[in-house]
Amino acid sequence: MATIKEIAERAKVSRTTVSRVINNSGYVSEEAKKRVLQVIEETGYIPSENAKSLRTKKTKVIGVILPKISTETSSRLVKGLDHVLAKEGYQILLTNTNLETEKEIEYLRLLKSRHVDGIILSATIINQPLIDEINQLNIPFVTVGQYISGLANVLFDDYQASKDMVNYIVNKGYKQIAFIGVDEKDRSVGYLRKAGYLDAMKENHLLVEDSWVQKGIFDVESGYHCMKQMMDFSKQKPSAVLAVTDRLAIGAMQYIKEAGLSIPADIAVAGMGASELSKFISPALTTLDFSMEEVGREAAGLLLEQINGEIYHEKIKMVKYRLIERSSI
Amino acid sequence: MATIKEIAERAKVSRTTVSRVINNSGYVSEEAKKRVLQVIEETGYIPSENAKSLRTKKTKVIGVILPKISTETSSRLVKGLDHVLAKEGYQILLTNTNLETEKEIEYLRLLKSRHVDGIILSATIINQPLIDEINQLNIPFVTVGQYISGLANVLFDDYQASKDMVNYIVNKGYKQIAFIGVDEKDRSVGYLRKAGYLDAMKENHLLVEDSWVQKGIFDVESGYHCMKQMMDFSKQKPSAVLAVTDRLAIGAMQYIKEAGLSIPADIAVAGMGASELSKFISPALTTLDFSMEEVGREAAGLLLEQINGEIYHEKIKMVKYRLIERSSI
DNA sequence: CTGAAAGCGCTTACAG
DNA sequence: CTGAAAGCGCTTACAG
């Protein structure tokens, strides 16, 4: 592959001059410029970003750490990031922990070794070693989905979202409202959404039977299983159930249908996340639309700010959500 | 950030020696090694991949060009790629054309300028300038989804897949089978699947009314619209319809239901792609499972072969598909 | 077992 | 307007 040296020789100028025409910087006579451009055209010369970034200390690449690569959440997030980053000439270097938390630290180091200009972490479970690693990283950084103190964060108000949904269900006339959550180590989805549910129930003076609160994992089967547990072991059957993800809700719906009950007549169901599935399943699922694409755009914006030199101790950007009324309630 | 020079000074050895211990190459006394490791630990030194790859000409990154970033197809493909690439220590640099064909060439150059060790192109529409660009690239390269002569390709037998589905529908007793396709410029999805449909109909001595063959784009609304056109303008109504993607099929289902007809009693529907939606929609959609994840794994394998020095003129890897029988037929 | 030196392909003060 | 030279942070023959 051609290098700047060859171009310089062919065009009978110095490497300095070639560099100037490539980067459109400094003075170059029309004459010289023309010759250089000509040679570049002929040879199909493409400058090495690698060598360039070794000098300039900028790579124009942003590292992204994802917990799972092929989920709707991840792909919408990446879409949002790409939307604003691509315009500014940044490339995305993708990294996938596959839910193995130790890999987050590994990838943080890897991204640093590649001199990315910034990092976006789509976080699930936060622990101290991770926080320590981030703090000593010294690279523009934005977390998404979970709050980490002292950093730039793009978040949803998970607690309030959960409350809003419960209140909505209550307003629709339901009183026995059950809940399918996930591990509370996941502070946003596990802890906060559960807390929102519990507090909203209390504020509405509604009782919660123990068996109404189930804990699953992030898939459809788990929702099915939780619903079954609930129906098998509850003294009073719930008349509505709120799940913290659409997949869990859809699993619950499957069980309810199989049990010969109807939705929402016998049991109403609500999800969270506005997955594509929620729209096409029947009955269509009432859910909460957390715009992950907007999260991506916001996160990219915050990152760009930092890259351009803005300094702050902590910055929190809350992204709005929207309740989508459909026919499952 | 610390550099190899500082580590060398602190450990009282040469940069050469530090490099040896980092890369576990050549002879280093236990003594020296220990000192170096110690200093690395203390300083949190992370070697610059950038500088390294400038010397070694290897970056350990693979560029991926996607037509759309947040589709099931793309995310499954990337999952498959990541599955094998990550093990070998490769990172993925993602690039998204957003269906703008000119961007493919732009990104090809960009990836070259970043000295990626290989490129995977998820292609849609192939034209000569693109082929020319690829040929002068001189980087390990694999195309996915479309055949390009002279390259490594990972493909499905779209023609046969389409035929298989038609034959399946015929065996179920349907004779008036309609078709919803896409632009034939997309050779795999547009041209070959249509050709398979047409030929299978002919081989079964079944007539095809003009209005039964509709052309849409890749979304649900388009499927709805095509189905409406078909119903509005056909003399004899079809008793079954095959769509080249699940989304088109689901759109068609929506129209059929809205028209007060039942699936499959009045009109049977088949899709292609085994999207997650197809499983949960009702009735569940009979479709073809093209395993994109396997395509990803195969493509990564072919790329690795090339990176490791294997040379061939052309190599085609066909990935199997599977017909999923459900209740829409 | 160890290190001095050259070189990877760029950019950037600096001097002219 | 132009170019010689230093330097970015590594690796790698080569010599010892």
Side-chain angles (χ1 to χ4, degrees):
Chain A
M1 206 178 139
T3 70
I4 199 173
K5 192 163 159 240
E6 291 171 53
I7 306 300
E9 283 164 5
R10 290 241 225 169
K12 307 208 185 314
V13 294
S14 68
R15 280 133 76 218
T16 309
T17 300
V18 175
S19 176
R20 285 198 184 105
V21 353
I22 294 171
N23 297 294
N24 246 307
S25 64
Y27 298 96
V28 184
S29 64
E30 273 311 311
E31 187 94 6
K33 187 169 179 176
K34 225 172 99 183
R35 284 208 311 278
V36 171
L37 255 14
Q38 163 86 346
V39 175
I40 289 180
E41 172 73 16
E42 282 168 21
T43 54
Y45 166 66
I46 299 178
S48 161
E49 280 299 321
N50 233 320
K52 181 172 178 172
S53 66
L54 185 59
R55 256 314 303 243
T56 61
K57 303 287 170 202
K58 307 213 168 303
T59 54
K60 283 280 179 179
V61 359
I62 302 297
V64 178
I65 303 180
L66 261 20
K68 267 266 179 207
I69 208 161
S70 71
T71 63
E72 264 179 87
T73 304
S74 290
S75 66
R76 288 176 184 175
L77 174 68
V78 173
K79 186 175 181 187
L81 291 170
D82 190 58
H83 181 80
V84 353
L85 258 19
K87 275 184 208 154
E88 305 289 325
Y90 287 89
Q91 238 48 49
I92 290 176
L93 191 63
L94 264 204
T95 253
N96 170 27
T97 67
N98 226 344
L99 258 19
E100 298 163 50
T101 332
E102 332 79 65
K103 283 210 167 173
E104 286 173 348
I105 290 180
E106 191 187 322
Y107 282 134
L108 247 19
R109 288 188 189 152
L110 182 132
L111 292 174
K112 179 158 193 175
S113 78
R114 293 205 182 273
H115 296 283
V116 295
D117 291 345
I119 294 178
I120 308 245
L121 172 67
S122 175
T124 53
I125 294 174
I126 308 298
N127 52 37
Q128 199 53 46
L130 178 64
I131 296 177
D132 293 344
E133 189 73 28
I134 294 172
N135 284 330
Q136 71 178 234
L137 215 49
N138 205 22
I139 297 180
F141 193 95
V142 178
T143 345
V144 150
Q146 302 279 350
Y147 169 74
I148 302 183
S149 110
L151 297 178
N153 296 272
V154 183
L155 300 168
F156 296 109
D157 188 343
D158 289 279
Y159 173 80
Q160 191 57 47
S162 201
K163 266 189 149 174
D164 286 356
M165 186 55 102
V166 172
N167 288 330
Y168 171 80
I169 300 173
V170 170
N171 284 337
K172 286 282 179 180
Y174 299 90
K175 296 199 187 309
Q176 293 78 35
I177 305 171
F179 179 83
I180 300 176
V182 296
D183 195 323
E184 294 184 38
K185 269 191 245 150
D186 180 328
R187 192 167 166 84
S188 295
V189 183
Y191 177 77
L192 289 172
R193 292 190 190 175
K194 181 172 170 182
Y197 159 75
L198 258 14
D199 287 0
M201 290 299 278
K202 193 180 290 173
E203 287 168 17
N204 283 290
H205 310 293
L206 260 21
L207 291 178
V208 174
E209 199 181 295
D210 276 359
S211 65
W212 289 0
V213 179
Q214 296 284 332
K215 186 174 83 183
I217 57 171
F218 290 92
D219 64 27
V220 175
E221 292 67 37
S222 176
Y224 179 95
H225 183 73
C226 288
M227 196 67 215
K228 180 168 162 46
Q229 289 287 314
M230 197 185 296
M231 295 304 277
D232 286 351
F233 295 104
S234 55
K235 285 196 283 283
Q236 186 177 11
K237 303 305 170 206
S239 59
V241 56
L242 165 60
V244 295
T245 75
D246 281 356
R247 311 182 78 82
L248 286 167
I250 286 165
M253 285 172 76
Q254 285 191 319
Y255 181 78
I256 296 170
K257 290 188 212 170
E258 272 184 37
L261 298 170
S262 101
I263 303 168
D266 298 314
I267 302 185
V269 181
M272 292 191 179
S275 67
E276 204 179 13
L277 273 176
S278 69
K279 191 158 118 197
F280 292 101
I281 194 116
S282 93
L285 182 65
T286 290
T287 186
L288 238 29
D289 184 13
F290 297 114
S291 171
M292 283 309 293
E293 227 182 292
E294 192 183 336
V295 169
R297 290 193 301 267
E298 292 287 354
L302 288 182
L303 199 65
L304 255 18
E305 279 178 22
Q306 290 179 43
I307 289 173
N308 296 329
E310 260 181 66
I311 291 172
Y312 36 75
H313 171 63
E314 173 175 302
K315 192 157 189 171
I316 297 177
K317 181 85 204 175
M318 284 281 180
V319 171
K320 291 217 183 70
Y321 51 84
R322 197 168 52 94
L323 199 155
I324 303 180
E325 300 193 51
R326 292 203 278 235
S327 36
S328 67
I329 296 190
Chain B
M1 207 178 140
T3 71
I4 200 172
K5 190 161 159 241
E6 290 171 53
I7 306 299
E9 282 164 5
R10 290 241 225 168
K12 306 209 186 313
V13 294
S14 70
R15 279 134 76 218
T16 309
T17 300
V18 176
S19 176
R20 286 197 183 103
V21 352
I22 295 171
N23 297 295
N24 246 306
S25 65
Y27 298 97
V28 184
S29 64
E30 273 311 312
E31 188 92 5
K33 187 169 179 175
K34 225 173 97 183
R35 285 208 311 277
V36 172
L37 256 14
Q38 164 84 349
V39 174
I40 288 179
E41 171 73 14
E42 282 169 19
T43 53
Y45 166 68
I46 299 177
S48 161
E49 280 299 322
N50 232 320
K52 181 172 177 171
S53 66
L54 185 58
R55 255 317 301 245
T56 61
K57 303 285 168 204
K58 306 213 167 305
T59 53
K60 283 280 179 180
V61 0
I62 302 297
V64 179
I65 303 180
L66 262 20
K68 267 264 179 208
I69 208 161
S70 71
T71 63
E72 265 178 86
T73 303
S74 290
S75 66
R76 288 175 183 177
L77 174 68
V78 173
K79 186 176 181 186
L81 291 171
D82 189 59
H83 180 80
V84 354
L85 259 16
K87 276 184 206 154
E88 305 290 327
Y90 287 89
Q91 238 49 49
I92 289 176
L93 191 63
L94 263 205
T95 251
N96 170 26
T97 68
N98 227 342
L99 258 18
E100 296 164 50
T101 332
E102 332 80 64
K103 282 209 167 174
E104 287 173 347
I105 290 180
E106 191 186 322
Y107 282 134
L108 248 20
R109 289 189 187 150
L110 183 133
L111 292 174
K112 178 159 194 175
S113 78
R114 294 203 180 276
H115 295 282
V116 295
D117 291 345
I119 294 179
I120 306 244
L121 171 67
S122 176
T124 54
I125 294 173
I126 309 298
N127 52 38
Q128 198 53 46
L130 178 64
I131 295 177
D132 293 344
E133 189 73 28
I134 294 173
N135 284 329
Q136 72 176 235
L137 214 49
N138 205 20
I139 297 180
F141 193 95
V142 178
T143 344
V144 149
Q146 301 279 352
Y147 169 74
I148 302 184
S149 113
L151 297 178
N153 295 272
V154 183
L155 300 169
F156 297 109
D157 188 344
D158 290 279
Y159 174 78
Q160 191 57 47
S162 200
K163 266 189 149 174
D164 287 356
M165 186 55 102
V166 172
N167 287 329
Y168 170 81
I169 300 173
V170 170
N171 285 335
K172 286 282 179 178
Y174 298 91
K175 296 197 187 311
Q176 293 77 37
I177 306 172
F179 178 84
I180 300 177
V182 296
D183 196 322
E184 295 185 36
K185 269 191 246 152
D186 180 328
R187 192 167 165 84
S188 295
V189 183
Y191 176 76
L192 290 172
R193 293 190 188 173
K194 181 172 169 183
Y197 157 76
L198 257 13
D199 287 359
M201 290 299 277
K202 194 180 291 173
E203 288 167 17
N204 284 290
H205 310 293
L206 259 21
L207 291 178
V208 174
E209 198 178 295
D210 276 359
S211 64
W212 290 359
V213 179
Q214 295 283 334
K215 186 174 85 184
I217 57 172
F218 291 92
D219 65 26
V220 174
E221 291 67 38
S222 176
Y224 179 95
H225 183 73
C226 287
M227 195 67 213
K228 179 167 162 45
Q229 289 288 312
M230 197 184 296
M231 295 304 276
D232 286 351
F233 295 105
S234 55
K235 285 196 282 283
Q236 187 177 10
K237 304 303 170 207
S239 59
V241 57
L242 164 60
V244 294
T245 75
D246 281 356
R247 311 182 77 82
L248 286 167
I250 287 167
M253 285 172 76
Q254 286 190 320
Y255 181 78
I256 295 170
K257 290 189 212 167
E258 273 185 36
L261 298 169
S262 102
I263 304 168
D266 297 314
I267 302 185
V269 182
M272 292 190 177
S275 68
E276 204 179 13
L277 273 175
S278 69
K279 192 157 118 199
F280 293 101
I281 193 117
S282 94
L285 183 65
T286 290
T287 186
L288 239 30
D289 185 12
F290 298 113
S291 172
M292 283 309 294
E293 228 181 292
E294 193 183 337
V295 169
R297 290 193 301 267
E298 291 289 354
L302 288 182
L303 199 66
L304 254 21
E305 279 177 22
Q306 290 180 42
I307 290 174
N308 297 328
E310 261 182 67
I311 290 173
Y312 37 74
H313 171 63
E314 172 173 304
K315 194 159 189 171
I316 296 178
K317 181 86 203 174
M318 283 282 180
V319 172
K320 292 217 183 70
Y321 52 85
R322 198 168 50 92
L323 199 154
I324 302 179
E325 300 194 51
R326 291 201 281 235
S327 37
S328 66
I329 295 190

